[in-house]
Amino acid sequence: MSHPSPPTDESMPAPGNLAMGQMGMWLFLGTEVMFFAALLATFLILRNSVAGADGAGWPNAAQVHLNPWIGLFNTSLLLLSSVLVSLAVQNLAAGNSQHATRSLFAAIALGVCFLGVKGYEYYGKFRHQLLPGRIGEVFAEGSTIARRYDEGPGLGWLDLLKPQLEQLAGKEYKLLTAKEKPATPEASAQLLDSITSDPGKNLAYGIFTALDKGTGSASMAARMVFQTNESIRASNQTAKAENRPLQAELPIQPALPHGNLWASCYFFITGLHGIHLVAGLMALAIPAFAGLIGRLGPSQYGYLANTALYWHFVDLVWIIIFPLLYLV
Amino acid sequence: MLLDKGPSAAFEATEPAVLHFNWSASEHWIPLALTAVAFFTWLLATRSNKYWAALIGLNAATLAGYTAWCACNQLWLPETANDLGAEVDGLFNLVLFLTSIFYFITQAVLIYTMVQKPPANGRAKPVHGNHTLEIAWMLVPAFFLAVIAIAQLPTWAKMKGQTSDSSIPVGYDPATDSSDLLVTVTGKQWEWRMRYADPAKAKPTNPLLWASTPAADDVHVVNELHAWQGAKVRLMLRTTDVIHSFFMPQFRFKQDMLPGKTIPALLRTDKTNINSDGTERCWEIACAELCGGNHYRMRGKVVVHATREDFMRWLSETKTKQTARKDSLAAATKPSDTPAGKE
Amino acid sequence: MSQTTPLSQESSDHAHKHHQPGFIGRYIFSTDHKVIGIQYLFSSLLFLLVGGGLALLVRLQVGYPDQSIGILTRLIPGLASQIPAEWGGRMSPEFYTMLFTMHATVMIFLVIIPWLTGAFGNFLIPLMIGARDMAFPLLNMLSYWFMWPAFGLLMASFFVDGGASGVGWTAYPTISSADLIDGSYNSPAARHAGLGQTLWLLAVFFSGVSSMMGSVNYITTVLHMRAPGMSLLRMPLTVWSLFITAILQAVALPALTVAALMQLSDKILGTVFFLPPGGAQFGAWSTGAGGGQPLLWQHLFWFYSHPAVYIMLLPAMGMVSDILAVFARKPLFGYRPMVYSMSAIAGLGFIVWGHHMFQSGMDPRLGAGFMLATIFIALPSAVKTFNWLATLWAANIRFTTAMLNAMAFVSMFVIGGLSGIFMAVTPVDVQIHDTYFIVAHIHYVLFLSTLFGLFAATQFWFPKMFGRMMSEPLGKLHFALTFILANCTFYPMHILGIGGHPRRYFDPTLYEFLQPFQSLNRFMTISAMLLGLAQLIFLANFIFSVFFGKKATQNPWESNTLEWQAPSPPPHGNFESIPVVYRGPYEYGGDGATDHTPQTASA
């Protein structure tokens, strides 16, 4: 086969050529797809290995203080920002760089809002100590794994829990110890009554009594913390229906079945997505500020189009993450 | 003779040997001699390229010959301790035979091309390919590969099958467990802790549960696996820290121990390693998965007693010793500190 | 294709009157693909010395377990804690685990992959497809400089608290991933998976990012920047192999990146991805409660690392194919089957990862599937071997150094390929898994195949890189010695493996069943030392020839492919004018005026 044209440089695409830039971006996104595919597949494998057929073994949104509405709000922020970035690309293509700059700044603002909301959500997790390694594991009573937990991993958790329980127990706990026992049986009964009526004091009293007797253990404490929190959540459910004031959860280390695994997945997935988002914001900020000083022109079109592609991808990843973490 | 370097001994701070090469040892002078051979081939090859063919050809032939020599001189697969192991060896030999055919053909052709007469006027015929040949040399290896794939299936099924009677059962069911002896092997850095259920007593209803909850009269031994000839030994493989791999070369048995899992394995002891004169052939246990600096120290041994009675005698002796030790320890410390109390 | 766009006009101007960058711009932070390729070449040669040195220390220990290496602490005082004086200058078992871990890591991530895809990928792809540079020159430069943090982190890790990573290059949890005690990098969980392992994970991350940038660049370049007439099926197999490798990398690497990040977060943030629910107990110390699965790491790791074996082999196959055809003075036999078989290897390479885990407790039905795929991945390799032999058949062979190395590649690849079949037969694999048989296999593939391919390729393309020839006599001496000594070093490992000798043993003399093999271990150690010395010939030849080699002509090997139509060495922009391709790359022999017809020759 012979070629009709003489050798010319013009038939070569040059470095920085638009089509190549887009191809590079698509390939990069391809690796990113593999990245998040591996990540989410890992998440699903881990989740399904403990969740059971009905998903009951996996912490639900209420147990880990996740508000799906906040997630939905965040989703809408990202969707809107994606639309704005698309608009910016269109405006730039049409030569209207001022409009493009404005939509870019709006998109960036929405992205920052997303991060702000995420930060608020993270703050809640820190406040509730829903952090990997800080959550008590709940195992069936008397099981091997519970025994192993008591010998090793649980001890550290118990150390975290004890001072908080003492805080909860207040002076009543001291009063019940041998030294400062109430003088009369009536006073004693009254004290006991005041303890049992308060879930926090009740819990602390129960755990400390068992530990003092030598029958308590980390796994037992974890089960009790979990049950107390569950009953508070349940009573809140009915209270909500009856418009009664809600009861706050106890300010202590939480205990949840598979809570540590949940926290690991939650922070890892949202954290990596957040890093991608920050990278996207920085990439968007360059043309935005270029527009601010009047330097945004058609020559930046390729760059902006590619950045927009990336931004849409980050958005898309969130749309997959959102139902997996908040709804399933 | 080797036990002074036993697995649980501390690293002794002895003087290191002075680097002293015994040059008369064949392993020291042969590499030098071969270096000289390579050097002279290089010198000779300045005269004729045929010497390059000789170098590559002799290498290929030597490797084959050396392999055969090793096979004949016990530098080969260790003795097999059970029928399944013999089956594995059969497969090994089958693959060795089939791959050897390909080895000799390809090396011979390569050497031939190096010594072949160059084409007339120095121009090779510009052949770009041959469809028939391509099909042929795709189908022939495919056939042999299929033979290999199919030949191994029965053995593989015996090793990892659905029934509790395979080496590493997939669907282990305590109800169909027909083993004669239950042993829990717990790997930890860096030893094997073996725990025997007394076979004279009733078998635990759920061996999987028993694997993680020791009974009071279990016998605890470190690094020694005992059984008797013809026994079916159920090994519950576990680890408390990192991945270990329980490897018994004579049994062609190797299985990783995964943290958080109990793997029920079945070991058949078709042969004893107690000779008729009462001496013992050394069958060893090794760790095959890197588990830290002292990975190499996880040495254990297997003793397959000739009869069940011999085994029971060993077991009761061990038990007596264990009870005595427990009592003496109990006098000094809390009972929970004895090795038997801890899992 | 001849349509003119303003953008490409700009670039052609650029190509003709490009500005002259200063020294730093030209040789250090250069964006020229040839300079970057040569930078990769020099760095991988440097790392080869490091990785080789580590290997020799490993061999020394296995062959002579009681020897003193106290002299090392005099050379590098920082190693004093690894080679304690109270043991009379013997290395500690932990130091030994660091040595083989780092040997594998350096060789794989910093020698083989950068040498193949970094050096030759960068240098050859634009030249062989007739382009002026890579599609993204700046990205190309970045990808090179991302490799250096990896190297720095790995080397630094030897000197941090607790020493380098000592958990093997596979870094299986839980030994690698057990988290660290607050405020300390020295967890009792694994004395050598402390800060060193953290740095190792970061290094893997950096080298992954570097490879990923490279692969995006290669794919785009091959798809977009081919010279007129260079259809995909006219590309030399070198380009094909690098192209397929780039695709493999782009698809497989992200899994490793995820896994490395997860392990990193397990170590420093306390997540529990690879920690089983009950945690892990190390003596009196225990980790926190877990919830994850240790086995998950192995799936993610091998999803990358098995294709990585082909990443480390395919480019060598491609380059050897080209070299065989040139010096056989005969067309490559079965060009299309070669391309298809490489694609098949790449495709099957993705579904065989599980064969590394037959003994790890996975579902055997899954195992049977992996076994079938693994057995049949031998098929495309067999097809390639037969095609190489057919290329040599009735050929007019020129015995150059490059050709000898390429022929040795074929001879040795047969062994490496056939020993792989033993592993695919799962019942046999039970016996040889994690023994020296595997070590033998991987070295037959990576040392005796890939490295011989690299020696061939370096000798072959050296004139194009530096404008000078490498010495042929020295090259042949290096070949003869390396060929014999590498076989002496690695072949007996098969025998050891058959005998059941486990890998990664600090002192095999502890075991009675390994006693008969200890003299073999010493034999291999002596051979390995001599093999290491022989490599100095190559280095000397290389460095000497860069400065004093015979001046090279434009096409010293009378090859057809495009790079030989450019001057030696090619200037910035490569070609006077972009060549036009009229034919395939392998038109040798025949009865024409010359025995070769360059791709640019019109009908």
Side-chain angles (χ1 to χ4, degrees), chain A residues 9 11 13-14 23 49 152 264, chain C residues 1 11 132 223-224 272 286 293 578:
Chain A
D9 250 335
S11 51
M23 174 157 206
S49 69
S264 303
Chain C
M1 274 196 95
S11 92
R132 295 215 179 278
L223 288 182
H224 269 278
V272 297
S286 94
Q293 296 177 5
I578 291 299

Side-chain angles (χ1 to χ4, degrees), chain B residues 11-18, chain C residues 66-68 85-90:
Chain B
F11 201 100
E12 296 115 47
T14 49
E15 273 299 302
V18 180
Chain C
D66 286 331
Q67 287 317 313
S68 163
E86 63 265 31
W87 290 0
R90 282 178 296 188

